[in-house]
Amino acid sequence: MIIEARELVKEFNGLRAVKGVSFSVNEEEIFGFLGPNGAGKTTTINMLCTLLKPTSGTAILNGYDVIKKPNEVRRSIGLVFQDPSLDERLTAKDNLNFHALIYGIPKRERKRRIAEVLEMVELADRQNDIVRTFSGGMKRRLEIARGLLHYPKILFLDEPTLGLDPQTRSRIWEYIKDLRKKEKITIFLTTHYMDEAEVCDRIAIIDYGKIIALNTPKKLKKQIGGSVVTITTARNELAKKLLKERFSLEAIETNNSLRFEVKEGEKFIPQLVKRLGVEILSVELHLPTLDDVFLKLTGRAIREETVSKRELMRKHWRRR
Amino acid sequence: MAGLVGIYTIWYRELKRFLLDRARIIGSFSQPILWLFLLGTGMGSGLAKVFSRGGGTEMFPGTGIDYLEFLYPGIIGMSILMTSIFSAISIVWDREFGFLKEVLVAPIPRYSITIGKALGGSSVSLLQGVILLLFAPLIKVNLSFLSVIKLILIMFLVSFSLTSLGIVIAARMKSMEGFQVIMNFLMMPMFFLSGAMFPLSGLPEWMEKLVKLDPLTYGIDAIRSTILGAHKIEVAGKVLFQIPTYPLSYDITIIAFFGAIMIILAVVQFNRVE
Ligand SMILES: Nc1ncnc2c1ncn2[C@@H]1O[C@H](COP(=O)(O)OP(=O)(O)OP(=O)(O)O)[C@@H](O)[C@H]1O
Ligand SMILES: [Mg+2]
């Protein structure tokens, strides 16, 4: 067990942002935190990486207690923060050099490692440019390179692809998967992209400061029987009632549509159309996703709308 | 060991950033030079007539120094004040641009960040002061090798305590919006009350009290007595205008004391930063 969190609680002037979170992460695992905005993902990471003192509870990383041995913990971890954290007035190489110095990497090693990580994120040809002139994706890659420079045992990635375009996102995922193949490293990441969460070995779903489910993506999705059906009807209220009466199905209403789970969707749909008794406007059928799991557990979707608004902001911020 | 590494790294970055920022370097000494020559010449030639009733350029009769020479140490003090506080306030920039987090999760003790920052800021200020010393011949001030060494030590002490003061303030500041307030309510009064521009004799009592509270008063006084030391200010003028105001050892004791308190406060304040 490389990370062990025990009943972590964080309060900000009375607001309980994290309400007693416990979990453990195995060595060389990719472990993900999935949750909507404000769920407490960043706050939890900040407690794990010694940036925030827990209000109560503690965590052990690489055998060191975050409260008693912060410097040993810091030496064991690499971080890519949710928000930019480069010195934009310095060059890419200067940023890496600073990191190498402050982590006490010996001079002979320094050059070799800097060249190595720059190579990995394909920024070697831009190493002498001022970071301010980089694109958002390049800055992100540089941050990942920097996080790896001191060969951490655990790499924290807080929304590593937030605000990046799809190509850059998939590039960054390539690095992360590659990294796992090549190095003995544990990766702890947070995201609210469902597809990214699928890459994790195990996922903790977090909502309002609490872990509400923790398992492999496969098993989480298995909680949902068979497949997910989404319908829109002329009268949703009535349809919901009828679904319960005639098919004993619990439907959840989101975005003017009804969503429910059935065992064999393909066979069920013809029956539904025949026997529901309310005009059906559209039907959609899919295999369960983590989004469905979240919806089932909380009754809410991880709202796409708020995500995209916030992403615009982040994008703007990254461009500065 | 990790402490020393931290201090060195933070100090190094501070210097590197300064040296890379050409606009800041040019601005940092062109501004004081402008002050010195425009204000010095304007005030000097106008007021000298009033003071000395038309006879000579001497502003303070009986002292053998003119206004430009009087102002010169004051402007060095001003530029050390501005540079020191500005360097310290850059912590707030680092917080806003996220870089502070990179420093805070590094495996170095917190105090080393504070001390590295204080040393970095004071080195930049000192550099600034040394550049201004190069203008001494233009103002017809003769500096001996010994007095240059003395000045460097004094300027470093002043820079260090002012940067530490800046860190005490910056540790709690969340955004750069507060900077104007600090400029108006701290730096300007500190500058005007320090005796940089006028001799501290015959002031109203309330002002004299404020002057004594201003740490920069002692800094500028120490720089001034060292720079003008060569002049052999005549006793009559010394008493009349109080140039210098205090004995050098008194000035240095007060600055050192102030600096020690400020760096301790800065370390304590910065340790609480989350
Ligand atoms: N420094 C702080 N002071 C006060 N409240 C805070 C602070 N940091 C976080 N919070 C609050 O704690 C809650 C959890 O925030 P956190 O940043 O951990 O969420 P998150 O899961 O990372 O969300 P996102 O997906 O938006 O990054 C939010 O309600 C937030 O407003
Ligand atoms: Mg977050």
Side-chain angles (χ1 to χ4, degrees):
Chain A
M1 227 105 61
I2 191 130
I3 302 179
E4 205 180 338
R6 295 176 190 154
E7 286 299 318
L8 283 174
V9 172
K10 183 69 196 179
E11 259 173 40
F12 295 110
N13 338 303
L15 174 91
R16 270 167 101 83
V18 175
K19 305 169 183 165
V21 159
S22 302
F23 59 88
S24 48
V25 179
N26 300 319
E27 221 154 319
E28 291 174 50
E29 186 174 31
I30 299 188
F31 186 87
F33 253 25
L34 174 67
N37 293 155
K41 303 182 294 292
T42 302
T43 307
T44 306
I45 286 204
N46 283 346
M47 287 190 281
L48 293 178
C49 74
T50 75
L51 270 181
L52 278 181
K53 246 205 171 94
T55 307
S56 67
T58 189
I60 313 288
L61 273 83
N62 194 24
Y64 302 111
D65 189 303
V66 289
I67 295 165
K68 292 180 201 132
K69 297 264 179 212
N71 274 338
E72 282 77 3
V73 171
R74 290 171 185 160
R75 225 176 272 287
S76 321
I77 62 178
L79 270 147
V80 175
F81 298 100
Q82 181 168 350
D83 297 317
S85 65
L86 294 163
D87 187 338
E88 303 215 347
R89 287 172 182 230
L90 297 181
T91 64
K93 200 170 165 186
D94 285 339
N95 269 282
L96 294 177
N97 225 338
F98 176 85
H99 189 88
L101 275 174
I102 211 164
Y103 279 79
I105 299 170
K107 196 166 183 176
R108 282 164 286 109
E109 275 278 287
R110 224 179 287 157
K111 261 201 170 135
R112 189 184 62 73
R113 289 205 203 173
I114 288 177
E116 177 189 298
V117 292
L118 278 170
E119 196 62 41
M120 178 193 151
V121 298
E122 297 170 60
L123 282 174
D125 54 331
R126 298 292 301 267
Q127 55 178 298
N128 291 318
D129 293 352
I130 302 284
V131 172
R132 208 177 339 164
T133 65
F134 282 17
S135 71
M138 288 163 72
K139 285 181 197 165
R140 210 61 177 150
R141 270 146 55 200
L142 181 59
E143 284 173 326
I144 293 176
R146 186 180 66 181
L148 291 170
L149 195 59
H150 56 284
Y151 293 165
K153 305 233 8 184
I154 309 164
L155 181 65
F156 286 95
L157 300 165
D158 197 357
E159 317 232 14
T161 59
L162 191 65
L164 301 177
D165 59 85
Q167 286 100 309
T168 316
R169 274 176 63 187
S170 63
R171 275 275 272 306
I172 286 182
W173 277 105
E174 287 313 307
Y175 298 133
I176 295 174
K177 287 184 214 162
D178 221 40
L179 191 67
R180 217 264 290 254
K181 262 184 239 148
K182 284 189 209 146
E183 319 271 350
K184 285 189 181 303
I185 194 167
T186 308
I187 297 175
F188 184 111
L189 62 90
T190 76
T191 181
H192 49 234
Y193 289 119
M194 300 299 151
D195 50 336
E196 294 189 350
E198 305 265 356
V199 178
C200 301
D201 297 316
R202 284 189 310 143
I203 299 169
I205 297 184
I206 178 166
D207 191 33
Y208 290 124
K210 279 203 145 144
I211 292 181
I212 51 176
L214 197 167
N215 219 323
T216 62
K218 229 183 188 165
K219 284 191 182 144
L220 283 172
K221 286 183 288 188
K222 258 207 183 129
Q223 295 185 358
I224 297 191
S227 47
V228 178
V229 180
T230 313
I231 59 171
T232 55
T233 66
R235 302 176 61 190
N236 279 349
E237 274 307 306
L238 180 63
K240 192 172 172 182
K241 217 176 102 204
L242 291 172
L243 273 170
K244 190 160 189 186
E245 281 171 14
R246 300 191 178 166
F247 302 94
S248 33
L249 285 169
E250 289 290 344
I252 299 169
E253 187 167 359
T254 54
N255 296 332
N256 275 328
S257 58
L258 295 172
R259 225 197 252 220
F260 50 87
E261 305 153 12
V262 288
K263 277 251 158 53
E264 289 175 295
E266 293 85 348
K267 288 184 186 156
F268 175 74
I269 286 174
Q271 288 209 31
L272 176 75
V273 175
K274 224 186 286 168
R275 287 175 43 207
L276 185 64
V278 176
E279 189 190 349
I280 295 175
L281 304 174
S282 72
V283 179
E284 193 251 351
L285 173 74
H286 63 250
L287 290 175
T289 64
L290 288 168
D291 206 3
D292 299 314
V293 178
F294 189 80
L295 186 72
K296 179 171 182 175
L297 291 169
T298 64
R300 292 173 293 124
I302 295 188
R303 295 268 297 278
E304 295 303 328
E305 181 199 331
T306 51
V307 171
S308 56
K309 234 184 233 163
R310 220 170 53 115
E311 280 198 7
L312 279 181
M313 251 171 59
R314 297 270 185 223
K315 255 184 189 159
H316 176 74
W317 174 247
R318 287 210 157 262
R319 249 190 242 123
R320 299 186 4 164
Chain B
M1 186 54 206
L4 284 180
V5 168
I7 292 173
Y8 169 74
T9 316
I10 304 283
W11 170 83
Y12 176 78
R13 166 174 179 257
E14 203 67 24
L15 234 59
K16 180 133 200 175
R17 268 171 74 101
F18 177 72
L19 295 175
L20 278 179
D21 196 342
R22 217 163 286 161
R24 193 169 153 212
I25 296 178
I26 292 170
S28 70
F29 68 88
S30 58
Q31 193 198 10
I33 295 299
L34 216 62
W35 270 77
L36 186 59
F37 284 98
L38 298 187
L39 186 72
T41 314
M43 289 275 273
S45 55
L47 291 182
K49 288 202 182 81
V50 182
F51 278 95
S52 57
R53 309 227 162 70
T57 58
E58 218 177 301
M59 178 149 179
F60 310 112
T63 57
I65 51 176
D66 64 21
Y67 187 62
L68 201 58
E69 285 166 311
F70 174 83
L71 185 62
Y72 179 51
I75 295 298
I76 293 180
M78 170 185 91
S79 111
I80 288 179
L81 171 72
M82 299 288 172
T83 314
S84 301
I85 302 281
F86 192 79
S87 297
I89 295 289
S90 71
I91 290 179
V92 182
W93 279 116
D94 283 344
R95 177 176 288 131
E96 231 163 78
F97 283 90
F99 187 77
L100 192 61
K101 278 183 287 186
E102 150 85 353
V103 177
L104 292 180
V105 291
I108 52 169
R110 274 294 170 85
Y111 71 82
S112 71
I113 303 175
T114 314
I115 293 175
K117 192 83 190 172
L119 288 175
S122 31
S123 302
V124 171
S125 288
L126 177 63
L127 214 64
Q128 174 96 56
V130 170
I131 292 173
L132 290 179
L133 282 187
L134 298 178
F135 288 86
L138 278 181
I139 297 155
K140 300 189 185 69
V141 169
N142 288 316
L143 294 175
S144 65
F145 179 72
L146 187 68
S147 54
V148 169
I149 299 294
K150 258 183 170 169
L151 278 169
I152 288 179
L153 293 175
I154 294 168
M155 288 192 301
F156 182 76
L157 197 60
V158 176
S159 303
F160 186 79
S161 35
L162 292 175
T163 312
S164 306
L165 166 68
I167 296 174
V168 173
I169 297 164
R172 287 306 180 87
M173 258 170 78
K174 293 281 184 247
S175 78
M176 276 315 272
E177 277 146 33
F179 187 66
Q180 267 306 319
V181 178
I182 289 169
M183 190 78 188
N184 291 336
F185 291 96
L186 185 79
M187 283 157 81
M188 283 304 166
M190 268 176 90
F191 171 60
F192 287 127
L193 289 170
S194 66
M197 300 206 305
F198 47 81
L200 300 172
S201 63
L203 298 177
E205 204 180 324
W206 63 267
M207 196 169 180
E208 196 159 327
K209 277 186 187 145
L210 289 177
V211 162
K212 281 186 179 158
L213 279 178
D214 182 352
L216 192 60
T217 300
Y218 307 95
I220 289 183
D221 197 48
I223 297 172
R224 186 172 283 140
S225 58
T226 313
I227 287 186
L228 299 182
H231 271 262
K232 295 206 185 63
I233 305 168
E234 288 133 49
V235 179
K238 212 177 197 167
V239 173
L240 187 57
F241 296 103
Q242 295 183 21
I243 306 171
T245 315
Y246 306 105
L248 184 60
S249 59
Y250 180 77
D251 286 330
I252 289 181
T253 311
I254 293 206
I255 305 164
F257 189 65
F258 175 73
I261 292 179
M262 282 304 126
I263 191 67
I264 292 170
L265 274 181
V267 167
V268 170
Q269 281 280 54
F270 205 72
N271 276 353
R272 293 205 207 131
V273 170
E274 285 209 323

